[in-house]
Amino acid sequence: IDKNIIKQLLNALYNNNTPNKKALFRETFRHLFAGVKKGYAKDFPKIKYNSPDFLMLNELSYNVGVFSIFKNHDQIKETVKLLKNDDGSIRSKKDFITEARKLSDRYNKRYLATEYDQAVSAARMARKWQDIERTRDLYPNLQYIAVNDDRTRQLHKNWHGIILPIDHKFWNTHYPPNDWGCRCTVRRTDKAVNDNGLEV
């Protein structure tokens, strides 16, 4: 995130002026939508209007916008709390800026890096879903694939190998990515349905 935007935001908040929320939103959206573009990996100018890819990217763009607004709202809300010390007295501008920059680094470096990775992963899987829809006559089922290493969540390991029809309600809530940093995927298949003994 552009440091000048953060600087202007902090000065406005300290001076009790209306902060430029749009500038922060645009920066956050730009960064996260770059992840969507990377993950979807299609040449945007060549996508036909109202095609499945166009509609999917439109949805992803909307979702990134909504997420960015709520993220920025939370950041500003937390930053406003830093205007006062624990005893309720007003912080000096220097102390406020110091604490607010720490918070900004958390939101706009650490969190944003994770959110960017999630945007890439989600867009990649959204594109995969488009391919799944195109070939559902050949491959009517999906198989859940977990990485199965020491970083894989136990819950995701439990789902590894499950084969269910594409239109099964399981995929409404379990289509990857599941949780931050999820590396799971699905594979198209014509193999028989197999719920691995789980109640899904």
Side-chain angles (χ1 to χ4, degrees):
I1 301 292
D2 186 331
K3 288 181 181 178
N4 287 326
I5 289 174
I6 299 301
K7 183 179 178 182
Q8 290 167 7
L9 176 78
L10 300 184
N11 281 326
L13 290 173
Y14 193 81
N15 295 319
N16 202 23
N17 295 327
T18 303
N20 187 352
K21 296 177 187 176
K22 287 182 182 177
L24 182 61
F25 165 76
R26 279 192 293 270
E27 276 288 289
T28 305
F29 178 86
R30 179 188 60 77
H31 190 77
L32 294 177
F33 197 65
V36 168
K37 288 197 264 188
K38 180 180 178 182
Y40 209 81
K42 280 228 172 178
D43 191 4
F44 278 38
K46 293 181 181 175
I47 294 174
K48 292 183 180 174
Y49 179 76
N50 257 359
S51 67
D53 286 325
F54 178 90
L55 296 173
M56 179 62 77
L57 283 165
N58 195 45
E59 285 295 315
L60 291 171
S61 173
Y62 176 81
N63 290 342
V64 166
V66 171
F67 181 85
S68 298
I69 288 169
F70 279 100
K71 173 188 169 69
N72 294 163
H73 174 77
D74 284 350
Q75 180 184 348
I76 291 170
K77 191 170 144 188
E78 279 194 58
T79 304
V80 167
K81 290 179 184 175
L82 296 175
L83 289 165
K84 292 184 179 180
N85 291 304
D86 292 340
D87 64 3
S89 62
I90 301 296
R91 281 187 201 261
S92 70
K93 186 170 184 179
K94 182 182 175 187
D95 289 348
F96 168 70
I97 296 293
T98 299
E99 293 304 311
R101 281 193 176 142
K102 289 179 193 172
L103 181 69
S104 177
D105 284 349
R106 190 174 46 174
Y107 267 90
N108 299 308
K109 288 184 181 173
R110 200 170 79 220
Y111 290 176
L112 194 59
T114 301
E115 292 154 0
Y116 174 86
D117 291 344
Q118 188 75 358
V120 172
S121 181
R124 186 176 293 132
M125 292 306 293
R127 175 156 183 208
K128 189 167 197 163
W129 185 259
Q130 298 297 80
D131 294 335
I132 288 165
E133 288 288 352
R134 284 189 263 270
T135 60
R136 67 186 302 152
D137 291 341
L138 292 171
Y139 304 104
N141 299 326
L142 294 179
Q143 182 176 23
Y144 194 97
I145 308 294
V147 175
N148 280 329
D149 62 13
D150 60 343
R151 290 176 46 212
T152 306
R153 295 167 178 89
Q154 185 57 50
L155 191 58
H156 298 193
K157 288 181 180 181
N158 295 345
W159 300 331
H160 180 73
I162 286 176
I163 301 174
L164 294 169
I166 288 169
D167 56 1
H168 194 283
K169 64 184 177 181
F170 176 84
W171 303 118
N172 293 343
T173 52
H174 293 74
Y175 184 79
N178 292 296
D179 303 317
W180 299 106
C182 173
R183 297 167 295 145
C184 298
T185 188
V186 295
R187 178 184 300 143
R188 291 172 278 182
T189 184
D190 58 359
K191 290 180 182 176
V193 169
N194 178 5
D195 62 12
N196 279 3
L198 297 176
E199 186 178 328
V200 294

